[in-house]
Each structure stands twice: as structure tokens, then as C-alpha cells.
Amino acid sequence: IYVDLREKERVHPHDSTRTVGTDMLTLLRSHRTPPPAHPKQHDAGAFCFSGNGPEGPVLVGIERKTVKGLLSDIRSGRLSGEQLPKLFREYGPESWLVVEGRYRSNWSTGMLETKRGRDWAPCQVGTQTFVGLEMEAYLNTLQMCTPLNVKHTVDERSTVEFVLALHHSYSKP
């Protein structure tokens, strides 16, 4: 499994005493059944590996997005305009999007909320708030109109579990 070099912990852009992100290569290697995992610069995707498809060998690509990262890229057009076309060119129907994080649509207000500690709070990216329907409808449209497969995970560890399960599935003859 190849992990993109950018999938690492880094200094917070506004507070040098904090960090953001997770070193996904280290997390993958620390799994109870660690696979061979290597860093690699990817044009598209956070993870990739080769496997067995129904018609023969395939490359599998997985783009990883946090909820806030996904929302930012939806609003800016970066996901559909830049990242997904690269993912599809490289991996075709073996393209995956992992949406990472705990979120819900507030039943009363319709606003998208994310988990903060024990509480739920409106999801904000900068000064923008979001309606839960916006994100879910966008993901549904991607699944219906493109070869993209979408998976939701709650955190970095469950993302690693999913990547390993997917790798296992594609390793079968």
C-alpha cells in the first residue's frame, strides 16, 4: 500500500504550538496486522495499491477527506474540478472517496453538525456554515453520476481499517 507523502502531521497554519493532520503511513504501519506500506508522491489519492479486479489486475485509489476538508473542496470546486478528474484518470472505476469524521444533519434546523467532544456543534469552515442536505446530496450525485465509490469512516483508525479491508478484498483471486 502506498501512502501519499502529504498524509502527515504538520504544524497548524495559524498556531505554531499545535499540529494538524495525522501521519497515515505511521498509523498504517502501527496496525495490529501491518501491511507493507511505503510513502509515495501521488497525483491523486491518499492511498493506492494494485489488486485483482473482475477482468484482471487493477490499480485502486483512495482519496481521504475530513468532513471540513470535503466541504471546503466542494464549495471551492477543487474536488470536482481538479481532484476527482485526476483520481478517475489514474484509477477509473476503482476510485474511492473516504469521508472521515462524525457528522449529522440537525433534525430541527437542517444544519450540518460535527462532533466536538461530547457535544454536537454547527460545522463551520471559515465563516461558512452548511446544510446537511448539501453534503449528502453532493455525495449521492457523485455516486450516481461517476465511477466513484464513497465510504464514511468516523476517524483515522477506522479509515486505516477500511483501507486494509479494501486491500484484502482486492487481494483475493
Side-chain angles (χ1 to χ4, degrees):
I1 299 175
Y2 292 97
V3 181
D4 189 80
L5 295 170
R6 294 165 288 199
E7 292 293 321
K8 60 184 177 184
E9 187 176 36
R10 57 200 173 282
V11 176
H12 190 282
H14 305 297
D15 183 352
S16 62
T17 64
R18 295 178 25 213
T19 59
V20 294
T22 301
D23 185 335
M24 295 304 285
L25 179 61
T26 300
L27 190 59
L28 194 61
R29 287 177 172 168
S30 70
H31 189 267
R32 65 188 169 279
T33 57
H38 310 281
K40 183 180 177 187
Q41 181 75 40
H42 297 190
D43 284 337
F47 305 92
C48 72
F49 55 84
S50 58
N52 301 314
E55 314 270 319
V58 295
L59 283 176
V60 179
I62 306 160
E63 180 67 47
R64 172 181 168 252
K65 294 282 182 195
T66 63
V67 172
K68 286 186 175 189
L70 175 65
L71 293 169
S72 176
D73 288 348
I74 290 172
R75 287 275 173 97
S76 72
R78 183 171 176 251
L79 183 65
S80 58
E82 179 185 332
Q83 294 174 310
L84 291 181
K86 286 180 182 178
L87 197 67
F88 297 148
R89 272 195 303 278
E90 189 77 25
Y91 307 107
E94 311 309 323
S95 298
W96 289 82
L97 172 65
V98 172
V99 180
E100 187 179 285
R102 290 179 172 90
Y103 66 91
R104 72 177 186 189
S105 185
N106 181 295
W107 182 258
S108 300
T109 66
M111 298 305 295
L112 186 68
E113 296 178 331
T114 53
K115 193 80 164 166
R116 293 203 194 134
R118 294 178 183 226
D119 299 323
W120 291 93
C123 183
Q124 285 191 280
V125 178
T127 59
Q128 296 181 325
T129 57
F130 298 84
V131 176
L133 184 63
E134 177 183 1
M135 186 171 84
E136 291 298 335
Y138 183 85
L139 294 174
N140 289 341
T141 300
L142 285 177
Q143 289 183 96
M144 292 185 302
C145 299
T146 73
L148 189 67
N149 302 286
V150 178
K151 173 69 176 172
H152 174 237
T153 63
V154 296
D155 59 20
E156 298 91 342
R157 289 180 179 206
S158 61
T159 297
V160 165
E161 288 285 343
F162 171 71
V163 169
L164 290 174
L166 197 60
H167 183 261
H168 178 75
S169 296
Y170 278 99
S171 296
K172 295 179 180 179

